[in-house]
Amino acid sequence: MLMPHPAVLRRLVDEYEALTRSGSTEEQPHAQAQARDLAYTLCVSTGTRDVRHALETARQWLEAASASDAAIRPPTDRDPHVYA
């Protein structure tokens, strides 16, 4: 399965959580539609059928991506294997 880029996944999670946390979805039909669209996109992106599972999966993937980014860092001038 293809995995979305972590930045895209982070944006989807952040936007969905901001919409649902603010309570604006109850008052504004446009916000409800946007939350549904984000939930659908999260589900498709994570291969799940429920937004709660999609959010859980997305968070796990983002955590794994963050851990692998920390393990792979660009060399600095202080690294002994960097040639000037």
Side-chain angles (χ1 to χ4, degrees):
M1 177 165 115
L2 293 175
M3 292 180 68
H5 191 278
V8 172
L9 197 55
R10 169 56 52 208
R11 183 185 56 80
L12 290 170
V13 169
D14 289 348
E15 286 183 22
Y16 180 81
E17 289 177 340
L19 267 177
T20 56
R21 183 178 34 240
S22 69
S24 63
T25 57
E26 297 171 8
E27 303 164 3
Q28 300 174 358
H30 175 36
Q32 288 177 346
Q34 189 176 6
R36 275 194 310 271
D37 289 347
L38 286 165
Y40 173 81
T41 304
L42 278 163
C43 287
V44 169
S45 298
T46 58
T48 60
R49 293 178 180 232
D50 180 270
V51 71
R52 291 172 299 203
H53 295 129
L55 289 167
E56 182 180 323
T57 300
R59 288 184 189 111
Q60 290 172 357
W61 288 358
L62 289 168
E63 186 177 314
S66 178
S68 73
D69 283 347
I72 303 171
R73 61 175 180 77
T76 65
D77 293 338
R78 294 185 180 173
D79 286 339
H81 301 292
V82 174
Y83 302 105

